[in-house]
Amino acid sequence: MAAHLKRRVYEEFSKTVQPHEEAPAKKLRLSKPSKSAALHVDLCKATNSTDSLQFLLHFARKPVEAESVEGVARILLEHYYKEPDNSVRLKIASLLGLLSKTQGFSPDCIVDDAINTLNNEKSHQVLAQLLDTLLVIGTQLPEKHQVRQRLIEEACKHLLDTYFGVRNKCLHLLGCLGAVDTLTSEGLGASPARDVQSIISDYFGDQDPRVRTAAIKAMLQLHERGMKIHQIIYDQACRLLSDDYEQVRSAAVQMVWVLSQLYPESIVPIPSSNEEIRLVDDSFGKISHMVSDGSWMVRVQAAKTLGAMLQVSPHFLEQTLDKKLMSDLRRKRTAHERAKELYASGEFSSGRKWADDAPKERVDKNAVNLIASGACGAFVHGLEDEMYEVRIAAVEALCLLARSSASFAEKCLDFLVDMFNDEIEEVRLQSIHVLREISTHITLREDQLDTVLAVLEDSSRDIREALHELLCYTNVSTKECIQLALLELLKNLNKYPTDRNSVWKCLKFLGSRHPTLVLPLVPELLSTHPFFDTPEPDMDDPAYIAVLVLVFNAAKSCSTMPSLFSDHTFRHYAYLRDSLSHLVPPLRLPGRKQLYGLDSVDSGSGSGSVESAQLFLQQSLNRVSTIQNLEAPGAQDLLDFTIRDLQRLGELQTELAGAADFCATYLRCQLLLMKALQEKLWNMAVPLCLKQNATAAAATRQILEETYKLEFLYSGLESRQVATIHHVRLQAKALTLILTARTRRGVEPLSSSCEKFLQEVESFQRLFVSELPHLQDSFVEKVLELMPRLSSCKPVELVKILQTTLRQSGLLQLRLPQQIHRATATIIEPTGESDNPLRFTTGLVVALDIDATLEHIQDPQNTVKVQVLYPDGQSHVIQPKPGDFRKPGPDRHRLITQVYLSHTAWTEPCQIEVRLLLAYSSSSPSSSSSSSSSKPGWSDSTDGLPPPEAAIEGTIPFSKPVKVYIMPKPARR
């Protein structure tokens, strides 16, 4: 008993008590429903083929993740084997091709099943779709050469199919996947070696024209992929030029052109003769013959192709402008051959043979021609074609050939000038543009100029302005031509007053290009007399200003011309030099050096001044980069002086205006931020600095507006500049958060603002992860280092950390790219100079014509808007139609539109303001280099990503406002 008690006590004292362990909390994992399981259930519910097709059509509209693609493909293949209906199997084959394009999915796991279904399929339509799916699979697997080889073998196997659609798909697959290098016998086992080109060329003679077209296009696809087409195919392609079907002939024209570019200097024989010519000349003659084809589509294709054959011989080129065969393209016998024939026939005619004593130099019509007679005058036929598309193609081809040959440009000048009288406006406009492009090679005669100037009577504004642009760069031969051009332009100015600026610009270039021809006309143009004083013309007359613009621009290169000016002409020069400085050049006038000495400085500026200005710009940025932080002593003064210098630099050097304005705006943002972070503002109690808080809030709003201008108003920005702009915007948002915490009460609005700011920091890190190494010692770098602490701390503590970090952050140095251009707009009409109000009845509308030039705008049809601001504060924003925009040159657009105005009755006329706005959206592709504008596909699942920021949209004024008087009258009763 004692032993038992002893053991029991020992057990109680030696018992170890283990602490109670809490069961680990169960983690819930939300899994998405399987796409393959859902599809399997839907297909099992289907009672007939129509239901299955409806389920498949509905499924095709849903996105599929990359990890679910293989399961979905297996379900589709399983149903494919059991489905008897052809339309359902066709849809399944199409879905397999779409699934193979999913990003992140490798389709090599379904290749065997796809080939197996191909071999067991009996329907021709389904076979064609399966071959299309195999092409998609092969395109997605460029590195799997064995897989692509299997697909090529399957395509070759089904080339014997009786259905044309299957043969077409097989040829298309061979063209897209065929090996660029020649297949060897080892690659095809024991079969004889045959390359892809020989297989495809066998179907140039297929009985179906659609297959013949597909074969030619497959060969062209091989050429685009880098394979050199064999020269032996040239004869086959030439024979296809006479095919019965237009699609075959059109594709054959492209094939002949490709071979002419690959083997231009190869020698080919002329049929039924012993003569040989270059392949490029032979192909040029054959394609010229196709300009007279019966199908207008083939004629368009042939005319366009002729313009791309720049290596052709000059005599072949000139033959296209003459319908009669030139002697250069006939085969002529040598003197030795003629003497030999004369010796063989005897010295005198025997009379036994008819016409044996005919002149030997007479050319026989049946002699060998180096070019087909139908190809003569190809461009003449093209320019006289009944279809305006053919005429436009012929004009464009003439332009391309004339730009590379000055002699050909002179010969085709008459033909292009004749096209100015075409009945179709588009043809006339294209002819003017073509003559403008080859204007460096030509000089217009008086008769040609007369035909050209007749177009100034055209009612189309686009054609008249295009002709003004042509006259700017055209050379004329005599002073009578200058006089004729001036007379017609003044008639144009009288008939269409809205062409004023275009006519003045035209006369500016016309005078500067022909100073010696303008010189003998000066007394007549200025109405001067050697003995009598003539009346002073009216300076408000646009025609007189046009004459002065012509004379003053000619006087810049003719030092003797100012001696013919009268006294009032010098006064008018001084006036126009100030008011129209872009049209009137600086002149060295005798006895007036003190008045125009500044002009000589402007005229002496050249490339050296631009280089010195670039150096000054870079030195200014380097000077600013020495600021360590935003509160350094003297930093504000340095920024003030630098901004002033950059603004002045932009005014003096137009080439650097965009870069200088960009830098000045960026530094202005830093200056505003610096002023908002002053020491005295943050050491005072909130009730004592309400005015300073309002100033800081206004500065913050201005910084945000300036950053949107920096991002969307300037083109040519690189990713680093965009990251710098977003960095400044992030600083402004941090300052907004600090001001919100100081002025508002309550925890909930502050916590939501803090959470939104942290999301913006994460978005910045995600968008500009490649630029973070260049943002050293910046605000965003310090915030990212403190990100774990900021995510877990209270809102008040977060605001304090941000305030300290913002005041201690350094100035981020700005690095300029090669070219920065600022988007600008100049409103030409209305001018805002008229005091006569536009009167209209209340409740009705009046049309206001808007004419503006736009420069460096990326997408004007979607971004440019017109704003009308009324005196009562109402503002109307109008979106111009896409057809109102023209593009006269690179990075230049022209807006010609009408704005309809309406308002209630006024007691007296008032001014409205008209300006142009540039619309932007922060979610546009230009906002960051990593954003994509493509639509989400099946693999683009957005479930795991954070919600995107709300798109911030707005408008930026980028033109000076123009004031227009209007007067709405009360309606009569």
Side-chain angles (χ1 to χ4, degrees):
M1 185 69 181
H4 176 69
L5 291 173
K6 184 178 180 181
R7 185 172 68 251
R8 183 178 177 183
V9 171
Y10 179 77
E11 288 177 356
E12 289 180 359
F13 281 97
S14 63
K15 184 184 292 184
T16 54
V17 180
Q18 295 182 353
H20 179 70
E21 296 181 359
E22 295 183 359
K26 295 182 178 179
K27 296 181 179 180
L28 296 178
R29 183 173 63 88
L30 298 178
S31 60
K32 302 173 187 175
S34 173
K35 301 288 184 182
S36 57
L39 178 63
H40 180 68
V41 171
D42 289 341
L43 291 177
C44 291
K45 290 180 184 177
T47 57
N48 51 33
S49 299
T50 305
D51 293 341
S52 299
L53 188 59
Q54 289 297 325
F55 283 130
L56 291 173
L57 290 172
H58 181 67
F59 177 76
R61 303 187 189 100
K62 298 180 179 179
V64 179
E65 295 79 14
E67 57 270 14
S68 305
V69 172
E70 186 174 357
V72 172
R74 296 297 176 193
I75 297 296
L76 290 173
L77 287 168
E78 180 181 349
H79 190 77
Y80 180 92
Y81 294 127
K82 299 184 296 184
E83 181 59 50
D85 190 80
N86 291 340
S87 59
V88 178
R89 296 203 308 275
L90 182 68
K91 184 59 182 176
I92 291 176
S94 174
L95 286 177
L96 288 175
L98 291 174
L99 288 169
S100 301
K101 296 179 181 179
T102 306
Q103 294 183 0
F105 171 68
S106 180
D108 53 353
C109 57
I110 62 173
V111 171
D112 294 332
D113 296 295
I115 293 177
N116 187 28
T117 56
L118 183 71
N119 293 327
N120 297 328
E121 184 58 55
K122 302 300 181 185
S123 171
H124 295 295
Q125 288 82 0
V126 180
L127 270 175
Q129 184 59 54
L130 284 171
L131 285 166
D132 208 3
T133 300
L134 289 179
L135 173 60
V136 173
I137 294 174
T139 307
Q140 298 295 320
L141 301 172
E143 305 297 330
K144 303 292 183 67
H145 298 291
Q146 295 182 353
V147 173
R148 296 175 74 128
Q149 185 63 38
R150 286 183 61 191
L151 299 180
I152 292 173
E153 291 175 1
E154 291 297 327
C156 295
K157 189 185 304 181
H158 287 83
L159 275 173
L160 303 177
D161 196 281
T162 56
Y163 181 56
F164 79 93
V166 176
R167 300 203 297 276
N168 282 358
K169 294 295 183 181
C170 290
L171 291 169
H172 185 46
L173 189 147
L174 289 176
C176 294
L177 301 182
V180 176
D181 52 348
T182 304
L183 299 179
T184 59
S185 57
E186 291 82 10
L188 293 176
S191 60
R194 291 200 68 196
D195 60 357
V196 180
Q197 293 189 36
S198 60
I199 297 174
I200 295 175
S201 61
D202 289 345
Y203 289 84
F204 283 178
D206 194 273
Q207 61 181 357
D208 195 299
R210 292 164 290 190
V211 179
R212 297 198 294 272
T213 306
I216 300 174
K217 290 183 177 179
M219 194 71 76
L220 293 172
Q221 185 69 29
L222 290 177
H223 169 70
E224 292 178 2
R225 292 176 53 222
M227 180 182 291
K228 190 172 184 180
I229 308 300
H230 298 159
Q231 188 179 348
I232 57 174
I233 297 175
Y234 179 71
D235 293 335
Q236 295 175 310
C238 291
R239 285 195 294 270
L240 290 174
L241 291 175
S242 57
D243 197 275
D244 294 336
Y245 293 86
E246 64 178 41
Q247 294 91 346
V248 181
R249 298 197 301 273
S250 179
V253 168
Q254 299 181 45
M255 190 74 244
V256 170
W257 175 80
V258 166
L259 291 167
S260 71
Q261 303 304 304
L262 291 175
Y263 308 98
E265 301 299 330
S266 298
I267 303 301
V268 294
I270 299 177
S272 68
S273 73
N274 296 325
E275 293 296 319
E276 295 179 341
I277 59 174
R278 298 163 64 221
L279 189 144
V280 65
D281 294 336
D282 185 61
S283 60
F284 185 80
K286 287 180 167 57
I287 295 176
S288 298
H289 184 69
M290 301 304 293
V291 178
S292 305
D293 193 86
S295 169
W296 71 270
M297 297 179 63
V298 179
R299 298 200 298 271
V300 170
Q301 180 67 43
K304 290 181 177 179
T305 307
L306 287 178
M309 304 183 72
L310 305 179
Q311 297 173 311
V312 68
S313 302
H315 47 279
F316 278 86
L317 198 58
E318 294 164 4
Q319 179 62 67
T320 57
L321 301 177
D322 193 352
K323 292 183 179 180
K324 295 181 180 180
L325 187 63
M326 296 179 180
S327 60
D328 289 342
L329 298 180
R330 288 194 179 100
R331 194 268 184 188
K332 296 185 287 291
R333 291 175 296 177
T334 63
H336 179 71
E337 291 173 337
R338 294 197 302 271
K340 182 178 180 182
E341 185 178 356
L342 180 62
Y343 176 78
S345 61
E347 188 174 356
F348 301 101
S349 173
S350 62
R352 296 179 181 177
K353 189 177 180 182
W354 176 257
D356 59 351
D357 57 347
K360 299 300 180 181
E361 289 299 323
R362 181 179 177 182
V363 180
D364 189 4
K365 289 191 295 186
N366 296 324
V368 178
N369 299 333
L370 303 184
I371 187 173
S373 58
C376 299
F379 282 125
V380 179
H381 291 295
L383 296 175
E384 296 173 352
D385 199 276
E386 61 180 349
M387 304 297 293
Y388 81 93
E389 294 92 347
V390 182
R391 300 200 296 274
I392 290 179
V395 167
E396 292 174 349
L398 275 176
C399 172
L400 294 173
L401 294 171
R403 282 164 55 184
S404 60
S405 174
S407 60
F408 184 71
E410 295 176 1
K411 290 181 173 62
C412 69
L413 179 59
D414 286 324
F415 298 95
L416 288 175
V417 170
D418 287 341
M419 297 305 294
F420 284 19
N421 299 321
D422 196 273
E423 60 182 359
I424 302 296
E425 178 182 337
E426 189 176 351
V427 180
R428 300 198 300 271
L429 190 60
Q430 188 62 32
S431 303
I432 296 172
H433 289 325
V434 164
L435 205 60
R436 156 73 181 88
E437 292 189 28
I438 64 173
S439 58
T440 56
H441 299 306
I442 59 175
T443 300
L444 289 178
R445 302 189 308 268
E446 190 171 354
D447 59 320
Q448 294 170 338
L449 184 64
D450 197 10
T451 306
V452 170
L453 292 174
V455 185
L456 290 174
E457 300 291 330
D458 201 295
S459 60
S460 172
R461 182 170 187 167
D462 292 338
I463 287 186
R464 295 197 308 272
E465 292 188 351
L467 191 66
H468 297 158
E469 189 81 11
L470 167 64
L471 292 175
C472 289
Y473 300 98
T474 302
N475 298 318
V476 296
S477 53
T478 61
K479 65 182 182 65
E480 286 76 14
C481 293
I482 295 289
Q483 200 166 12
L484 177 63
L486 177 61
L487 183 61
E488 294 297 327
L489 286 170
L490 293 181
K491 289 181 181 178
N492 175 23
L493 188 60
N494 186 37
K495 187 175 182 180
Y496 302 103
T498 55
D499 293 352
R500 181 181 64 179
N501 290 282
S502 181
V503 170
W504 287 352
K505 179 187 173 184
C506 173
L507 289 170
K508 169 190 174 182
F509 285 93
L510 200 63
S512 60
R513 294 179 70 91
H514 307 89
T516 57
L517 299 181
V518 176
L519 179 61
L521 299 174
V522 169
E524 181 181 355
L525 296 178
L526 298 181
S527 301
T528 59
H529 194 275
F531 307 118
F532 302 104
D533 286 337
T534 54
E536 181 176 349
D538 184 11
M539 278 301 297
D540 292 332
D541 184 10
Y544 177 62
I545 295 178
V547 172
L548 289 182
V549 168
L550 173 72
V551 172
F552 290 152
N553 281 277
K556 184 179 180 181
S557 303
C558 184
S559 58
T560 60
M561 195 178 295
S563 60
L564 302 175
F565 295 170
S566 57
D567 291 338
H568 62 259
T569 307
F570 291 110
R571 294 197 304 270
H572 295 169
Y573 168 77
Y575 171 74
L576 291 179
R577 179 62 187 152
D578 291 335
S579 59
L580 299 174
S581 58
H582 62 288
L583 294 174
V584 179
L587 298 179
R588 296 180 180 273
L589 299 179
R592 289 174 171 81
K593 293 182 180 179
Q594 67 277 11
L595 294 177
Y596 309 107
L598 293 175
D599 296 335
S600 61
V601 177
D602 295 340
S603 63
S605 61
S607 60
S609 61
V610 175
E611 294 176 358
S612 61
Q614 287 178 341
L615 181 62
F616 176 77
L617 177 62
Q618 192 60 45
Q619 289 175 350
S620 300
L621 294 178
N622 294 338
R623 193 183 311 118
V624 173
S625 64
T626 58
I627 300 176
Q628 297 298 327
N629 56 61
L630 296 177
E631 292 193 353
Q636 293 190 20
D637 294 336
L638 179 59
L639 284 177
D640 275 327
F641 294 145
T642 306
I643 291 172
R644 183 195 62 187
D645 293 342
L646 292 177
Q647 289 175 343
R648 182 58 179 158
L649 178 65
E651 296 172 1
L652 293 176
Q653 285 291 343
T654 56
E655 296 87 351
L656 298 177
D661 291 343
F662 181 83
C663 297
T665 307
Y666 172 76
L667 294 180
R668 192 180 304 113
C669 292
Q670 297 291 346
L671 182 60
L672 290 171
L673 189 64
M674 188 178 297
K675 291 180 178 179
L677 292 173
Q678 287 179 350
E679 183 76 24
K680 59 182 180 181
L681 174 64
W682 306 101
N683 291 338
M684 297 172 61
V686 176
L688 300 178
C689 58
L690 295 178
K691 184 177 180 181
Q692 288 83 349
N693 281 336
T695 305
T700 305
R701 289 192 296 270
Q702 187 176 354
I703 291 172
L704 290 175
E705 292 176 2
E706 296 290 346
T707 56
Y708 287 116
K709 287 183 181 180
L710 287 172
E711 184 174 0
F712 296 102
L713 205 57
Y714 295 87
S715 59
L717 300 180
E718 298 174 355
S719 178
R720 184 175 300 185
Q721 285 78 44
V722 178
T724 306
I725 295 169
H726 279 252
H727 178 266
V728 178
R729 190 177 302 159
L730 199 63
Q731 288 178 299
K733 291 180 179 179
L735 183 58
T736 304
L737 178 60
I738 297 171
L739 292 173
T740 303
R742 288 172 63 89
T743 54
R744 291 186 183 179
R745 296 188 178 275
V747 180
E748 292 184 0
L750 182 60
S751 61
S752 62
S753 300
C754 293
E755 184 178 354
K756 183 179 179 182
F757 177 76
L758 293 178
Q759 288 179 356
E760 289 174 349
V761 174
E762 292 176 355
S763 176
F764 181 92
Q765 183 183 14
R766 185 172 62 252
L767 290 175
F768 302 105
V769 62
S770 60
E771 301 297 333
L772 290 178
H774 304 291
L775 303 178
Q776 297 179 358
D777 195 29
S778 62
F779 169 73
V780 71
E781 185 188 32
K782 295 179 179 179
V783 170
L784 290 175
E785 291 176 357
L786 299 171
M787 200 64 182
R789 181 181 173 187
L790 296 176
S791 302
S792 58
C793 67
K794 296 181 180 180
V796 178
E797 185 181 357
L798 184 143
V799 169
K800 291 181 180 179
I801 295 173
L802 283 181
Q803 179 178 337
T804 306
T805 307
L806 193 60
R807 294 178 61 189
Q808 293 177 353
S809 60
L811 179 65
L812 192 61
Q813 184 177 2
L814 181 65
R815 178 187 171 189
L816 283 178
Q818 294 295 327
Q819 281 288 344
I820 291 184
H821 298 288
R822 180 189 170 108
T824 57
T826 305
I827 299 179
I828 302 173
E829 294 288 341
T831 59
E833 300 172 352
S834 176
D835 294 333
N836 297 324
L838 288 173
R839 301 180 184 272
F840 61 97
T841 305
T842 301
L844 301 180
V845 296
V846 62
L848 178 65
D849 293 323
I850 303 291
D851 184 3
T853 57
L854 315 174
E855 293 187 359
H856 306 294
I857 306 293
Q858 300 297 329
D859 187 14
Q861 287 84 357
N862 297 323
T863 57
V864 175
K865 302 179 186 299
V866 182
Q867 183 190 43
V868 180
L869 189 62
Y870 291 93
D872 58 353
Q874 292 187 31
S875 175
H876 293 170
V877 178
I878 300 98
Q879 174 75 49
K881 295 180 293 185
D884 294 338
F885 293 92
R886 280 86 167 167
K887 190 173 182 180
D891 295 329
R892 289 179 58 218
H893 289 84
R894 184 81 176 271
L895 173 62
I896 301 176
T897 186
Q898 281 188 331
V899 173
Y900 296 102
L901 309 176
S902 181
H903 211 276
T904 56
W906 296 355
T907 57
E908 60 183 17
C910 287
Q911 289 180 335
I912 62 170
E913 286 190 359
V914 180
R915 71 179 70 191
L916 296 182
L917 304 178
L918 185 68
Y920 67 86
S921 173
S922 62
S923 61
S924 63
S926 63
S927 61
S928 67
S929 58
S930 59
S931 60
S932 174
S933 59
S934 60
K935 296 182 179 179
W938 274 1
S939 63
D940 300 333
S941 176
T942 58
D943 297 337
L945 296 177
E949 301 179 35
I952 300 177
E953 298 181 352
T955 55
I956 303 171
F958 72 115
S959 74
K960 293 181 180 180
V962 176
K963 296 183 178 181
V964 180
Y965 267 107
I966 65 170
M967 177 58 188
K969 300 181 297 183
R972 294 182 179 179
R973 295 181 180 179

